[in-house]
Amino acid sequence: MPTIIIDEQEVEFQPGETIIQAARHHGIEIPHFCWHPELSVPGNCRICLVEVDKMPKLVIACSTIASEGMVVHTKSEKTIDAQNAVMEFILINHPLDCPICDEAGECKLQDYAYNYSVGESRFIEEKNRKQKHVELGPRVMFDGERCISCSRCIRFCDEIAKKPELTFVQRGDRVTITTYPGQPMVNPYSMNTIDICPVGALTNIDFRFKARVWDMSSTKSICTGCSRGCNIDIWVRNNEILRLTPRYNEQVNSYWMCDDGRLNTFKYVNADDRVDSPQIRGEGQLRKVEWEEAFDETVSRIKSFSKDEIAFVGSAHATCEDNYIFAKFARSVIGCGNIDFVQHIDPEFGDDILRVNDVAPNAMGAKLTGVSPSKSGLDIDGIKKAIREGKVKALYILEDDIITEDPQFENIITKLDLLVVHSTNHNKTTALADIIFPASAYAEKNGTFVNINKIVQRIRPAITTVDTDRALDGMEMSRLDKFGTEFDRWATGVKVDAKASWKILVSLSGLFDHKMKFNMAEEVFADMAKNIDAFKGLNYDDVGDSGVKLNYQFIEQKVKA
Amino acid sequence: MEKKAAKIRKKDLTFLQKIYIPEIMKGLALTFRNMIRPKFTFEYPEEKFIPSGSYRGRPVLVEEKNGEERCVACGLCSRVCPALAIDVQAAETEREKERYPEKFEIDMLRCIFCGFCEEVCPEEAIVMSKDYELAFSSREEAIYGKDKLLVPVDQLQDRIDFLRQYK
């Protein structure tokens, strides 16, 4: 491979790569505002100027193609002078908004002002005044003064979202960004412009002023909005999720996620309608009970049915671990083969960018972990029919609101003698349940999802329940979490009394004299890796932060069967 | 090292010292001199101690003449506070500054009166006051909200002048 020399370090590069790419692949940071690895190269911010031997002037690293034998200096006197000059130039009209700007703390301009600028300006005139507080669309707020005209947002809309909704207007120091008259920015990926905006010109209306970034912890997780399984970070303060941001994963979502996933998949976790502690229906009313009482009640009532009178509905919303233990519970503990789950298909949702029609995160995982009927067992339609005919009298549902998904169930379910539901929130299904177990939401437990492309990915707990502890369970901690005591009002966020579904099922199995020895989700996964061919040999460390593709051919067979 | 015996100073007292009277007179002269000197002490709490502008009493928020707080809820005081005493929640306002503290609480049990919050504040919105009388009978009482923290700018002029001169 051809090589160039960057700062006396010999660096290999693929022919056609630019200097900034070659440097980046070898961990050498060249500052950049307008350049983004997934977008076209406009070369307009000039902060990536570097000195190249035998070239008369400094060149921009983002659009200069590397060629054999090039000698690049990113820390020479000339380069440092140029970087400082560019910073001074960009900061001429940049307001001192940091105290009121949501970007502060994760702002490229702030970082570079420390790293590449001496911090002095010769500009004594009045700064430009432009429009602040402009809603470009329903989800994105624009501040004209803060904008440094890098054009990343414009290029994102053109190239990635394929909806050219933004453009520059005016010229010189009056240049600003706007949408076309009367047409707000509404594309389903609009909020990615917030992440790629190197300054605070574009901010998140939903998250606006909710917290400073340094007060939150961030936890690597997976979006539950559809079965693409975009990688995300969950941002938490005081045990409350405040925002989600996409996390880079080359094989799944690159740098992006859709607005729907970003806004609509976490609010239920902090909602008031969370199921808090187990509940049993007595005389038509649900009442909160202790865990032990709920377990005993469930066991004694399930035992009153024969195994053919019971059916199990798994969930595409639950993790592989939950579904695996659920299937094990149905088959080995109860001895029942009537097990299936409900698909969540929204034909309107998908597009050819990231979104797919299967709007549950783990349908593939549910199938793989054994949530499908045994040979003589009933599938979901069979279960529906059998309940109607009175053959199935007890139904056990795992983390799924099947009535909202399939309204046919509403009339059928009233025919049941027993309905046990694991649920995170109160919904139409729990409204009819006899016993409700509070299930941990995806942000409260360890687990795995298998996405539509058969990539298994991990979710991690970001907020605590009564059952978990931030420090002892190794969860991400913010500064406030680390130093807060029970007497501090910023450490007293709501904790729901919920458990991961697999834990509830393990406890129940124990009462059926069928002990399962699992204490951690990781142990459940290890058992899956032992017993399910698709997961063979895997463990949580292999899955890691960016997921692993499962054995493709094998899955095809299994899904067909 | 060889230990040296402590040297004992042996000196006989002179005759005048032996009779004590001149020494007693000297001592009494000092006593009477001090009796008629002006007092350092106060009859606290009837009489209050009023410190100078350099005094760091409890931190307070500056309330402008129009009744609004200067604070923009940037959270820097909360970040810099070594005792994690300050809790700020920002919210949006129609005013030009865009954001204001919806909630601003200082846990006076945690506060160590270091004055970092005042030093870091970009808006001169939180300053150390002259108030040193702090007593609580419960943890909740020690949490000062905006109602207790906002103090009109006129009452803080001493401190603000001091800061402008020396900060």
Side-chain angles (χ1 to χ4, degrees), chain A residues 5 37 42 54 70 90 93 108 177 236 264 276 278 342 399 410 430 475 504 527 556:
Chain A
I5 295 166
K54 293 176 190 161
M70 224 178 212
I90 291 174
N93 277 316
K108 245 185 159 54
I177 285 168
V236 172
N264 302 333
D276 192 5
V342 181
E399 295 181 37
E410 188 152 19
T430 58
M475 293 158 64
I504 298 169
D527 199 53
E556 283 299 289

Side-chain angles (χ1 to χ4, degrees), chain A residues 99-100 102 129 132-133 143 146 208-210 212 214 237 479-480 483 485 487-490, chain B residues 72 74 78-79 84-85 87-92 96-99 105 107 110 122 139 143:
Chain A
I100 57 163
D102 268 342
R129 297 308 298 259
K132 294 171 90 75
H133 205 277
D143 186 308
R146 293 180 198 156
R208 196 167 159 81
F209 301 158
K210 276 201 183 147
R212 311 263 38 187
W214 54 78
R237 192 190 62 173
R479 192 175 61 111
L480 298 179
F483 302 112
T485 69
F487 302 112
D488 289 311
R489 60 238 178 275
W490 32 257
Chain B
V72 295
C74 70
S78 159
R79 176 67 186 86
L84 285 92
D87 190 21
V88 188
Q89 179 59 55
E92 188 139 15
E96 202 204 344
K97 65 181 186 179
E98 284 189 67
R99 58 191 268 168
E105 290 179 348
D107 186 342
R110 273 186 174 263
R139 286 179 191 276
I143 293 171

Side-chain angles (χ1 to χ4, degrees), chain A residues 478-531:
Chain A
S478 68
R479 192 175 61 111
L480 298 179
D481 296 326
K482 275 180 200 154
F483 302 112
T485 69
E486 57 179 303
F487 302 112
D488 289 311
R489 60 238 178 275
W490 32 257
T492 48
V494 182
K495 282 185 176 187
V496 179
D497 187 9
K499 288 181 183 178
S501 282
W502 65 264
K503 262 190 191 169
I504 298 169
L505 291 160
V506 165
S507 301
L508 275 178
S509 307
L511 296 175
F512 278 101
D513 294 328
H514 195 291
K515 281 227 161 61
M516 296 190 200
K517 284 179 186 157
F518 301 118
N519 292 313
M520 296 191 293
E522 201 167 353
E523 293 167 4
V524 181
F525 192 80
D527 199 53
M528 281 162 55
K530 222 186 288 167
N531 297 322

Side-chain angles (χ1 to χ4, degrees), chain A residues 49 56 72 166 182 372 383 423:
Chain A
L49 283 169
V72 180
L166 295 178
S372 50
I383 292 171
S423 185

